[in-house]
Amino acid sequence: MAAASSNAKLLLTLVLLQALMDSAAPACSVDAIYSFGDSIADTGNLLREGPVGFFSSIGSFPYGQTYEKPTGRCSDGLLIIDYLAMALKLPLINPYLDKTADFSSGVNFAVAGATALDRTYLLQNAIIMPPGIMPLSSQLDWFKSHLNATCPSQEDCAKKLGGALFLVGEIGGNDYNYAFFQKRSIEAVKAYVPQVVKSIMDFTKEVIELGATQIIIPGNFPIGCSPSYLSLFSVAGSADHDERGCLTSYNSFAAYHNEQLKVAIDNLRKANADISIVYADYYGAFLHLLDHASVLGFNEGSLLKACCGSGGEYNFNMDLMCGGLGSSTCTDPAQHVSWDGIHLTQKAYRAMALSLLMEGFAQPSENVQDIWSC
């Protein structure tokens, strides 16, 4: 009986989200989105920089196949940022490096592969990353250049930014990915968490000083449920797998990052009582998706297996990524949660956006209601 009630609730919220996106309600109070982060939010910046390494295939099919064209998004289609924009009745937010784009409804500065920490800090700690990675500080420089080019005065900028929503992340995941993929221990990588969180907070303080009044800061995903981590770090016979089949140790690490981030956000709220700062619980929303996969239309036998990959238990091989010669794509990406073993499918991102907007996975919930009040 409880399961039936839960399923009915999920179906109702799906209907309500569609109504939210399609309705002819009054215009929203938010008239622009400024997005920063990594591949979870990049809508085409890395594609225009020249993708390499993990991301070398994002400019061609099968990437973008559900959207019917490759856009530089690391998925078969749309991302969380796209659904957040649609729910605000805004057009999809264009990438900053598309110099022919219309930026009247905001700008997306996120770049796939980006880190919270600067390259210098990571290299000092012997963490190697692909060339050309744009850290959060560089995205902030882009943002300032954009403001200089579009705002006649500081007062004009403050007015413009006061009606905008800032999406700061998800960011920090790659700082950890690069370290873990180079075989760093969980305890060793934990030492970077305070610096990653500080970088996110320093960035947020700066955009507040520039005029931001509505900010969303997402936490990290449960990385132990990612096919990439499961493929690389699963040990036969280990007790590290939980009831979902995810790696407990790596999920505990992600939870540790999120707890530190939430404490820092609480402190930032206390110092900026007039600013709306929302924590987006990507960790909880993703696990909620896994736990309700059947009613959401996902194949329960493929929850931890990539749609696009090159075989193996999790259909993931770091040496033969999605889009590479020898990889293949599943028949129906909408049946899968994971797209390429690192990123999610359009359908999974849509389900997560639903959870953030309507199922309490973004807090404080009253702030979320105020932002999406149209």
Side-chain angles (χ1 to χ4, degrees), residues 94-297:
N94 289 311
Y96 174 68
L97 293 182
D98 183 356
K99 297 307 181 183
T100 65
D102 178 2
F103 294 133
S104 59
S105 297
V107 189
N108 193 338
F109 300 95
V111 184
T115 55
L117 299 172
D118 286 343
R119 176 178 290 271
T120 302
Y121 179 91
L122 294 170
L123 290 177
Q124 285 173 348
N125 287 275
I127 299 173
I128 309 302
M129 69 219 73
I133 293 303
M134 296 295 291
L136 203 50
S137 60
S138 296
Q139 295 178 37
L140 181 61
D141 290 340
W142 280 356
F143 177 58
K144 290 177 178 177
S145 295
H146 172 74
L147 292 183
N148 289 337
T150 56
C151 292
S153 67
Q154 187 173 350
E155 292 74 19
D156 187 69
C157 264
K159 182 179 179 181
K160 177 179 180 179
L161 301 183
L165 175 65
F166 284 71
L167 182 62
V168 183
E170 183 270 340
I171 191 72
N174 285 322
D175 301 69
Y176 307 137
N177 289 341
Y178 297 141
F180 283 134
F181 292 169
Q182 292 165 44
K183 309 300 184 184
R184 299 296 175 86
S185 71
I186 291 175
E187 285 307 310
V189 180
K190 264 190 175 182
Y192 308 137
V193 172
Q195 285 298 327
V196 168
V197 171
K198 181 179 184 300
S199 177
I200 297 169
M201 290 302 102
D202 288 347
F203 175 93
T204 306
K205 290 173 186 175
E206 189 140 6
V207 296
I208 288 173
E209 288 177 9
L210 290 168
T213 62
Q214 300 177 97
I215 303 166
I216 297 179
I217 305 175
N220 202 352
F221 287 81
I223 56 176
C225 299
S226 168
S228 58
Y229 275 76
L230 286 162
S231 175
L232 290 167
F233 303 119
S234 291
V235 177
S238 167
D240 195 28
H241 291 83
D242 64 16
E243 68 280 1
R244 300 183 183 92
C246 304
L247 293 169
T248 302
S249 56
Y250 287 93
N251 277 358
S252 295
F253 171 85
Y256 174 76
H257 163 89
N258 292 339
E259 288 303 320
Q260 300 304 306
L261 182 62
K262 285 188 282 187
V263 169
I265 290 173
D266 284 342
N267 290 334
L268 190 61
R269 286 193 190 110
K270 291 172 185 174
N272 297 274
D274 56 334
I275 306 298
S276 174
I277 305 175
V278 172
Y279 172 72
D281 182 9
Y282 282 13
Y283 186 105
F286 184 85
L287 293 182
H288 181 74
L289 185 162
L290 291 185
D291 292 343
H292 297 85
S294 177
V295 71
L296 291 170

Side-chain angles (χ1 to χ4, degrees), residues 9 11-22 354 358:
K9 180 182 176 184
L11 290 171
L12 175 61
T13 51
L14 281 168
V15 171
L16 290 174
L17 180 62
Q18 194 62 53
L20 178 67
M21 292 177 175
D22 294 343
L354 163 68
M358 305 186 71

